[in-house]
Amino acid sequence: MANIACFVEKYNFADSNEAMALQNFKIAAEKQGHEFDFLFRKNLREIPKYDAVFIRATTDPLYTAYIVSKTAWELGLKVVDDPKSIQICGNKIHLYSLFSKYDIPHIPTIFLNKDAFNHKRILEIFKVFGRPVVVKAPYTSFSRYVEKVACETSFREVAKRFFRKSDALTVQKFMPTAFDWRVGVLNDEVLYVCKYMVPKGRWKHGAKRRGKPSFIWGRTITLKRENAPTELKETALKACGVIGHGLYGVDIKEVDGNYVVVEVNDNPSIYARYEDLRNEDLYGKIIEYLVN
Amino acid sequence: MNINVQLVLNTTIAIPSIQSSGVTCVLVVSNIDLPTNLAIMKPSTFLETSIKDFTVNINNDYRYLKTGYYVSLHAEILGSPVIPSSENILDANRIPLLLLKASKAGIPTLPFLVTDSVKQVMSSFEFPVVVFAVNPFSYEGFEIAKNRSALYRAIKSLGRNYKFAVCVQPLLGEMFTFKSIFGRCKQAKSIEQISRKVYDVFEVPICKLHIQRIGKKVHLCGLQPLRKEELLAVDVEIISEEISQLSKNGDYLIG
Ligand SMILES: Nc1ncnc2c1ncn2[C@@H]1O[C@H](COP(=O)(O)OP(=O)(O)OP(=O)(O)O)[C@@H](O)[C@H]1O
């Protein structure tokens, strides 16, 4: 029997489907004979009491979740998301650098440093990628800091905003698709597969912003993992392989029959009746992973 | 497909080879002008190259998302040993992790609490307390709270309106702040010891350390980046000395 702490913040319970998923984790843990407690910010001192920590609060090297993860790690507990995965997935520059280093097919990307941002560079980028291009702040999540720019003026305006927090940013070729594949991966195995549809007339799948009234969010179509294309699953596993062996959500675009990785997320959203729809065993599998 | 490479090729850069001891090169990337014979590369130049060498990253500000962080990350992606590592940059700048790793390494620290609740602090410690920001955005350092309303204000401002937690430690003696350069400082022996040990654990070449003196004992409380203008000519000299030393000694074999 193990004691599992699930680190959450209040917003994790704001959406009833997410709240239900959290409850499902608790039920799955108890079914396997484990204790499962929700751990909030004010109980961090209790971390050493547990055998494993499962983080569901939003992760970022700047957030409390990283402190929870690294503390658990230093104390020798099993932890999902582990600190290295948070560090890598929390920063697009880190992530795409690893993709290029290990030949993971990904959207053509360049990095731009604050000091190297000038007229010549902008023109060069437009020449290589065409227009528009997608500018991303390295720390973006929930699509918040991902913008499309087609001229130098808007490029400068967006870059100026993103450079406030980060001294570097990423620029990508614009590759719109009707949906993003989302492959859930745990410990080098596919856990679930869905399609996050892009709402008509838009190019981002939108975002469930925890605790905020959600803006337009494309439909989620869930597949049985057995029925998803093999090459898709292989691409997802390969991408996760350069990061770690924890729990990930891989976003993949299908362009002219090729699978191109958009990003690997640590801390992927798991909402009841969405990601779990045809893969109900995902709760039990994650718990098993946490205690083994 | 690999646009990165294309753009890099457009910028031709001379590769500095510093064959000091005749064995290995040390690449010094610095945003500070250093009076030394060693070739120094600017961070913006380094970030566009793929030079693989033992890299010493000199920067007054190593915080996450700042150029100082990206330089270490870039070196790591290239497969080069680098001082400091990106992981140490992250952890050294988050007070609870700084204190946890430091105390594991035998550096004296005080009990601390990560929280955003005034009530919880009051049930754990007596006033006065020292409050540090946990998000490493600010240069602000710490605030001392002597009573409930000061604590309330400190948690609110350092936590950016409760968005982030703060790290609270009891104030049992007096706070003292000094510059630490490659672990060196011109302070009393007990303080110097802490400074060296913190460098041994985190290898952050340039930083400010906050300690608390309680009687004769010294405890580590916090670490902060330096503003460029806080670096004096004497500090810059020490940095130059240290990097010459590093390249001479073959002291680069880390981790
Ligand atoms: N280069 C691109 N071309 C076209 N669409 C893109 C591109 N990059 C990202 N997108 C779309 O924008 C959305 C958000 O992108 P991305 O996943 O990179 O950012 P994010 O902030 O991490 O978002 P999330 O956390 O919601 O996944 C996704 O729907 C993605 O498919």
Side-chain angles (χ1 to χ4, degrees), chain B residues 16 47 129 220:
Chain B
L47 291 172
V129 292
L220 175 69

Side-chain angles (χ1 to χ4, degrees), chain B residues 90-158:
Chain B
L90 283 185
D91 296 350
N93 282 293
R94 309 302 300 275
I95 307 280
L97 299 177
L98 172 87
L99 298 177
L100 178 69
K101 283 171 107 172
S103 77
K104 256 176 100 173
I107 298 169
T109 57
L110 294 165
F112 64 88
L113 185 65
V114 180
T115 187
D116 53 8
S117 148
V118 171
K119 224 161 100 193
Q120 205 185 9
V121 175
M122 289 178 62
S123 65
S124 308
F125 305 124
E126 304 268 324
F127 285 115
V129 292
V130 186
V131 187
F132 276 94
V134 164
N135 77 85
F137 286 125
S138 54
Y139 280 108
E140 284 153 28
F142 62 86
E143 285 180 31
I144 289 173
K146 294 194 171 127
N147 52 47
R148 193 195 166 97
S149 61
L151 176 62
Y152 175 82
R153 281 196 306 273
I155 290 180
K156 191 170 160 153
S157 71
L158 294 173

Side-chain angles (χ1 to χ4, degrees), chain B residues 4-249:
Chain B
N4 262 330
V5 172
Q6 275 184 346
L7 289 184
V8 167
L9 290 180
N10 289 341
T11 15
T12 352
I13 285 131
I15 299 174
S17 25
I18 311 129
Q19 295 298 148
S20 53
S21 58
V23 197
T24 302
C25 310
V26 172
L27 174 61
V28 180
V29 180
S30 175
N31 78 330
I32 299 159
D33 288 330
L34 299 172
T36 159
N37 297 328
L38 299 178
I40 308 282
M41 189 178 272
K42 273 207 194 122
S44 56
T45 312
F46 175 66
L47 291 172
E48 306 214 340
T49 63
S50 30
I51 300 174
K52 262 177 88 157
D53 259 326
F54 169 64
T55 307
V56 183
N57 171 14
I58 302 293
N59 205 298
N60 61 299
D61 185 358
Y62 294 100
R63 284 174 303 165
Y64 179 56
L65 298 177
K66 301 293 167 198
T67 300
Y69 177 80
Y70 287 120
V71 167
S72 287
L73 180 63
H74 186 63
E76 284 166 3
I77 297 282
L78 292 172
S80 308
V82 61
I83 287 179
S85 71
S86 64
E87 181 187 352
N88 277 339
I89 291 178
L90 283 185
D91 296 350
N93 282 293
R94 309 302 300 275
I95 307 280
L97 299 177
L98 172 87
L99 298 177
L100 178 69
K101 283 171 107 172
S103 77
K104 256 176 100 173
I107 298 169
T109 57
L110 294 165
F112 64 88
L113 185 65
V114 180
T115 187
D116 53 8
S117 148
V118 171
K119 224 161 100 193
Q120 205 185 9
V121 175
M122 289 178 62
S123 65
S124 308
F125 305 124
E126 304 268 324
F127 285 115
V129 292
V130 186
V131 187
F132 276 94
V134 164
N135 77 85
F137 286 125
S138 54
Y139 280 108
E140 284 153 28
F142 62 86
E143 285 180 31
I144 289 173
K146 294 194 171 127
N147 52 47
R148 193 195 166 97
S149 61
L151 176 62
Y152 175 82
R153 281 196 306 273
I155 290 180
K156 191 170 160 153
S157 71
L158 294 173
R160 304 225 157 168
N161 230 350
Y162 305 109
K163 186 160 182 232
F164 298 96
V166 296
C167 182
V168 184
Q169 301 168 66
L171 180 64
L172 305 169
E174 47 158 2
M175 294 295 291
F176 180 71
T177 301
F178 61 94
K179 278 182 268 187
S180 169
I181 294 176
F182 283 94
R184 282 165 66 175
C185 64
K186 290 207 171 68
Q187 303 296 338
K189 198 136 196 187
S190 56
I191 297 179
E192 215 183 341
Q193 254 174 9
I194 276 215
S195 176
R196 284 200 187 278
K197 280 193 194 157
V198 171
Y199 182 71
D200 287 344
V201 178
F202 295 98
E203 295 185 316
V204 176
I206 301 169
C207 61
K208 229 158 43 179
L209 293 180
H210 302 288
I211 54 151
Q212 207 177 126
R213 272 193 293 226
I214 309 171
K216 281 203 177 107
K217 281 205 80 180
V218 180
H219 304 260
L220 175 69
C221 288
L223 179 149
Q224 235 188 294
L226 235 64
R227 286 178 210 278
K228 223 172 181 171
E229 54 278 15
E230 288 177 286
L231 272 176
L232 308 177
V234 287
D235 304 322
V236 174
E237 230 154 78
I238 297 177
I239 299 170
S240 305
E241 257 174 57
E242 285 290 330
I243 55 175
S244 318
Q245 213 45 43
L246 268 176
S247 53
K248 256 189 222 123
N249 290 350

Side-chain angles (χ1 to χ4, degrees), chain A residues 41-45 60-64 66-67 70-71 73-75 84 87 90-91 93-94 97-98 100-101 105-111 113-116 121 124-125 128-129 138-139 163-168 260, chain B residues 1-4 6-7 10 43-44 47-48 64-70 73 76-79 86-87 90-91 94-97 100-101 104 112-117 120 123-125 134-137 162-165:
Chain A
R41 230 189 236 190
K42 62 176 196 296
N43 311 112
L44 299 189
R45 261 206 286 202
D60 184 291
L62 294 174
Y63 293 173
T64 311
Y66 179 74
I67 291 175
K70 192 64 188 250
T71 301
W73 179 267
E74 288 284 334
L75 295 172
K84 197 79 213 170
Q87 186 191 359
N91 190 299
I93 290 184
H94 203 154
S97 299
L98 289 174
S100 348
K101 180 170 177 177
H106 61 284
I107 301 183
T109 305
I110 59 152
F111 307 137
N113 193 262
K114 210 177 194 166
D115 300 326
R121 200 63 191 273
E124 209 172 31
I125 290 168
V128 179
F129 287 157
Y139 50 83
F163 279 139
R164 250 181 244 150
K165 222 166 110 180
S166 173
D167 285 349
V260 184
Chain B
M1 182 86 169
N2 199 336
I3 310 297
N4 262 330
Q6 275 184 346
L7 289 184
N10 289 341
S44 56
L47 291 172
E48 306 214 340
Y64 179 56
L65 298 177
K66 301 293 167 198
T67 300
Y69 177 80
Y70 287 120
L73 180 63
E76 284 166 3
I77 297 282
L78 292 172
S86 64
E87 181 187 352
L90 283 185
D91 296 350
R94 309 302 300 275
I95 307 280
L97 299 177
L100 178 69
K101 283 171 107 172
K104 256 176 100 173
F112 64 88
L113 185 65
V114 180
T115 187
D116 53 8
S117 148
Q120 205 185 9
S123 65
S124 308
F125 305 124
V134 164
N135 77 85
F137 286 125
Y162 305 109
K163 186 160 182 232
F164 298 96

Side-chain angles (χ1 to χ4, degrees), chain A:
Chain A
M1 200 211 80
N3 287 324
I4 305 169
C6 179
F7 177 63
V8 284
E9 304 241 31
K10 276 188 218 113
Y11 55 70
N12 288 106
F13 297 91
D15 180 298
S16 61
N17 294 87
E18 183 172 18
M20 197 188 293
L22 289 170
Q23 218 46 50
N24 289 343
F25 278 114
K26 191 171 167 67
I27 293 166
E30 287 167 356
K31 233 191 212 157
Q32 293 178 29
H34 309 301
E35 293 254 354
F36 187 95
D37 299 334
F38 292 112
L39 184 83
F40 289 85
R41 230 189 236 190
K42 62 176 196 296
N43 311 112
L44 299 189
R45 261 206 286 202
E46 290 165 22
I47 294 174
K49 284 197 340 212
Y50 291 91
D51 304 300
V53 176
F54 180 38
I55 298 174
R56 286 283 82 199
T58 304
T59 53
D60 184 291
L62 294 174
Y63 293 173
T64 311
Y66 179 74
I67 291 175
V68 172
S69 173
K70 192 64 188 250
T71 301
W73 179 267
E74 288 284 334
L75 295 172
L77 313 187
K78 185 92 175 243
V79 57
V80 171
D81 312 291
D82 64 273
K84 197 79 213 170
S85 297
I86 296 179
Q87 186 191 359
I88 298 171
C89 300
N91 190 299
K92 298 273 191 267
I93 290 184
H94 203 154
L95 195 60
Y96 297 132
S97 299
L98 289 174
F99 290 168
S100 348
K101 180 170 177 177
Y102 295 107
D103 287 328
I104 307 297
H106 61 284
I107 301 183
T109 305
I110 59 152
F111 307 137
L112 207 49
N113 193 262
K114 210 177 194 166
D115 300 326
F117 183 63
N118 52 44
H119 174 70
K120 197 173 141 237
R121 200 63 191 273
I122 293 172
L123 292 187
E124 209 172 31
I125 290 168
F126 280 138
K127 204 166 141 201
V128 179
F129 287 157
R131 294 173 199 237
V133 295
V134 175
V135 185
K136 288 185 194 181
Y139 50 83
T140 182
S141 65
F142 303 111
S143 305
R144 266 176 296 180
Y145 306 102
V146 175
E147 296 190 27
K148 212 166 56 171
V149 301
C151 67
E152 181 163 347
T153 314
S154 52
F155 199 149
R156 283 182 183 278
E157 187 271 316
V158 171
K160 193 174 157 199
R161 250 188 299 128
F162 293 174
F163 279 139
R164 250 181 244 150
K165 222 166 110 180
S166 173
D167 285 349
L169 48 75
T170 63
V171 187
Q172 295 187 321
K173 189 174 167 167
F174 179 51
M175 295 177 82
T177 48
F179 64 89
D180 288 350
W181 284 104
R182 165 60 65 99
V183 183
V185 172
L186 176 72
N187 194 19
D188 307 309
E189 281 178 28
V190 173
L191 200 57
Y192 58 85
V193 178
C194 19
K195 287 178 179 181
Y196 289 164
M197 304 307 292
V198 175
K200 262 218 156 63
R202 308 207 166 220
W203 60 281
K204 298 192 267 194
H205 61 58
K208 293 168 186 154
R209 280 194 63 185
R210 288 159 163 172
K212 304 263 161 70
S214 46
F215 54 87
I216 299 182
W217 168 249
R219 274 184 315 137
T220 298
I221 299 171
T222 316
L223 281 75
K224 271 202 166 126
R225 56 183 172 254
E226 302 79 59
N227 297 343
T230 308
E231 206 189 322
L232 168 78
K233 291 187 279 193
E234 280 169 359
T235 306
L237 292 175
K238 197 174 161 205
C240 295
V242 307
I243 298 162
H245 307 283
L247 173 66
Y248 307 100
V250 189
D251 289 342
I252 294 180
K253 286 190 181 290
E254 199 176 328
V255 185
D256 306 327
N258 295 315
Y259 294 104
V260 184
V261 179
V262 181
E263 64 161 347
V264 176
N265 295 284
D266 65 313
N267 199 252
S269 350
I270 295 173
Y271 282 51
R273 293 204 276 270
Y274 289 84
E275 287 79 5
D276 68 354
L277 200 59
R278 288 170 199 282
N279 306 283
E280 279 163 24
D281 58 355
L282 70 84
Y283 299 105
K285 285 196 162 187
I286 292 171
I287 297 297
E288 270 167 36
Y289 176 76
L290 279 164
V291 298
N292 284 318

